[in-house]
Amino acid sequence: MKKIISFVGIAFYVAVLQAQTWIWYPGDYEIWLGNRMNNRRTERGAFFPPFWKTDSHYVVIEFSKQVDLERAENIFITAEGKYNVKLDGKLQFGMPSTLTLPAGKHNLNIKVWNQATPPAIYVEGKTIHSDSSWKVTYEDKEWIDESGKASDTSATVYMNAGYWNFDRADQRPSQFMLCREPLQAVSREKSSKGELLDFGKETFGYITFKNLSGKGSLSLYYGESKEEALDTAYCETLDRIQLRAGKVIDLATNEISAAGDFCLGNSKAFRYVYIEKEPDVQFDNVGMEYEYLPVEYRGAFRCNDEEVNRIWEVGAYTMHLTTREFFIDGIKRDRWVWSGDAIQSYLMNYYLFFDSDAVKRTIWLLRGKDPVTSHSNTIMDYTFYWFLSIYHYP
């Protein structure tokens, strides 16, 4: 067990010199981001959260760095959350965004509280940068005396900071979004009650309306096939919106937007979309915003059998669709992170994308927090798959 835990620490967060980047407690951002994704699932418009234990990020984190400066240096500090700064154990006034450190050896500590999103910092100086070499802890075991000086923290357990690729101060981790690209349906087919849109292939994203206006209700039914989208009573996913007084109300989420150009707030997987509306509801066009994680295709395959080539292409496209913030089981229904599905995705990813960050994010999310009270995804085999994923990590 100790060997495996040590391997996780070494493989995931090796302390390397790098340019400044946003940092946080390892695993916290992945758990927070995974909670956002795992809780997007709906069953015929009803919210459907995971049924296993859901963890959360630590709300107070201390970031620390020991420095030895040849000359005085100014640093710039940005944080996600309320924070304080200590230099050599002495609290600084307020929440300073800049700080001057004299020449010599110093201990720099920044403590951040954030209940809503993971505490994170971005520090930029000539030689002092926030990177994975910083130490972090959620329990510093210190006290501060009447002079404002901090006590000894020798009993504190520190880890190397976690990070991803948020390398600018304005690139806040909590604001991360996948990429989007506008797409149009390849065909439209009208019926007596509505209109069926075909986007040409299975896809994932948000339905958009151009100049949506009027008064009344509008319903959308999604499907992998025409038959599913037209089956308004039993299709897996659907949306309903209401228009009145120049407002658009998403009846699934109760979110209210202005009429006009409108984009639904929850993503869906589909090829076909069937739309029914009341007569007084009008719009100029329906499209979508395709949502995806930008990855580089590093693997390729080609042979003299076009059917086999097509099978590979479909498989590669499917792999890209399910490679998102994390590797998910499928884009249509669950959209959850399952350890058994993920370990297969890791192996395919190593040949197709070799996106090690997506692997690390998924493993951190599936690990969760202590205490561990049940098997991963409540399935004993899936816990063992998690250990195998560590073993296979390159």
Side-chain angles (χ1 to χ4, degrees):
M1 180 65 74
K2 288 183 179 179
K3 180 179 180 181
I4 292 176
I5 293 174
S6 298
F7 180 83
V8 174
I10 293 170
F12 282 10
Y13 291 104
V14 176
V16 293
L17 294 175
Q18 59 186 52
Q20 61 271 3
T21 190
W22 282 91
I23 58 174
W24 49 80
Y25 190 88
D28 267 14
Y29 181 72
E30 292 79 1
I31 288 172
W32 173 81
L33 188 64
N35 287 342
R36 286 165 58 91
M37 192 188 72
N38 277 337
N39 285 283
R40 293 182 190 138
R41 176 181 174 179
T42 60
E43 284 284 337
R44 290 194 58 79
F47 168 58
F48 199 116
F51 50 77
W52 50 78
K53 180 171 77 78
T54 298
D55 294 305
S56 188
H57 62 275
Y58 294 119
V59 298
V60 177
I61 297 296
E62 184 194 64
F63 302 82
S64 62
K65 179 74 172 177
Q66 293 182 339
V67 298
D68 189 357
L69 302 176
E70 293 184 359
R71 55 183 60 87
E73 182 170 336
N74 292 323
I75 61 171
F76 300 88
I77 303 169
T78 308
E80 291 216 300
K82 183 181 288 186
Y83 66 96
N84 67 31
V85 178
K86 288 187 299 185
L87 182 60
D88 299 324
K90 190 73 173 180
L91 275 170
Q92 306 299 300
F93 177 80
M95 292 191 292
S97 58
T98 61
L99 184 68
T100 300
L101 284 72
K105 294 182 178 181
H106 301 286
N107 291 319
L108 177 62
N109 302 83
I110 303 173
K111 185 176 286 187
V112 184
W113 169 75
N114 193 331
Q115 195 79 31
T117 66
I121 64 168
Y122 182 94
V123 177
E124 182 177 3
K126 186 175 182 179
T127 65
I128 302 172
H129 311 294
S130 52
D131 58 26
S132 63
S133 67
W134 282 59
K135 300 297 183 181
V136 294
T137 184
Y138 60 89
E139 185 181 23
D140 58 24
K141 300 182 186 295
E142 73 171 7
W143 56 273
I144 299 175
D145 65 20
E146 67 278 3
S147 70
K149 186 174 177 61
S151 69
D152 177 69
T153 59
S154 59
T156 303
V157 177
Y158 289 96
M159 297 184 68
N160 289 105
Y163 68 97
W164 186 9
N165 61 357
F166 305 110
D167 299 333
R168 302 192 316 269
D170 61 351
Q171 199 176 6
R172 293 178 175 266
S174 65
Q175 301 303 310
F176 170 75
M177 295 179 65
L178 295 174
C179 296
R180 296 190 186 188
E181 179 183 336
L183 296 177
Q184 297 296 319
V186 298
S187 68
R188 309 163 76 102
E189 181 181 325
K190 291 189 177 295
S191 68
S192 58
K193 291 186 176 181
E195 184 177 20
L196 181 69
L197 281 70
D198 178 7
F199 285 86
K201 60 182 179 180
E202 291 76 9
T203 188
F204 189 94
Y206 306 81
I207 292 296
T208 60
F209 291 89
K210 186 72 173 177
N211 295 328
L212 180 62
S213 63
K215 181 180 179 181
S217 62
L218 183 150
S219 298
L220 302 94
Y221 305 93
Y222 304 90
E224 297 178 68
S225 63
K226 289 183 180 180
E227 291 76 12
E228 183 184 12
L230 292 170
D231 190 352
T232 59
Y234 295 102
C235 66
E236 188 77 40
T237 55
L238 70 153
D239 277 309
R240 291 194 176 103
I241 57 179
Q242 185 79 30
L243 285 92
R244 60 171 179 262
K247 301 293 184 182
V248 182
I249 306 169
D250 187 331
L251 298 179
T253 63
N254 296 323
E255 293 179 353
I256 301 175
S257 307
D261 294 345
F262 173 73
C263 179
L264 279 155
N266 199 7
S267 54
K268 295 290 192 299
F270 55 88
R271 172 176 171 174
Y272 298 91
V273 182
Y274 177 59
I275 300 174
E276 290 185 346
K277 67 180 184 66
E278 293 184 342
D280 289 340
V281 175
Q282 306 294 330
F283 53 82
D284 291 343
N285 185 51
V286 182
M288 71 167 292
E289 290 187 358
Y290 169 58
E291 186 185 58
Y292 65 97
L293 179 73
V295 291
E296 178 184 355
Y297 280 75
R298 301 185 182 185
F301 173 84
R302 198 74 188 167
C303 72
N304 60 358
D305 189 322
E306 285 305 316
E307 185 174 8
V308 173
N309 291 335
R310 179 61 181 151
I311 291 171
W312 187 90
E313 290 167 0
V314 170
Y317 178 65
T318 302
M319 182 66 193
H320 194 177
L321 287 175
T322 58
T323 303
R324 311 190 64 73
E325 298 98 324
F326 306 87
F327 293 111
I328 59 176
D329 67 326
I331 60 171
K332 179 181 174 184
R333 192 186 69 164
D334 286 13
R335 299 195 290 176
W336 289 345
V337 179
W338 295 85
S339 187
D341 299 86
I343 194 169
Q344 299 173 66
S345 296
Y346 304 151
L347 299 177
M348 290 183 280
N349 165 72
Y350 295 144
Y351 285 94
L352 186 60
F353 307 131
F354 206 84
D355 185 344
S356 59
D357 283 333
V359 177
K360 290 187 287 187
R361 291 195 302 273
T362 306
I363 292 176
W364 272 117
L365 173 61
L366 289 168
R367 169 59 177 85
K369 297 277 193 181
D370 290 331
V372 176
T373 58
S374 65
H375 285 290
S376 181
N377 309 122
T378 73
I379 302 172
M380 182 177 66
D381 295 9
Y382 282 24
T383 299
F384 293 117
Y385 286 140
W386 185 88
F387 283 102
L388 283 172
S389 69
I390 302 298
Y391 177 79
H392 290 149
Y393 186 81

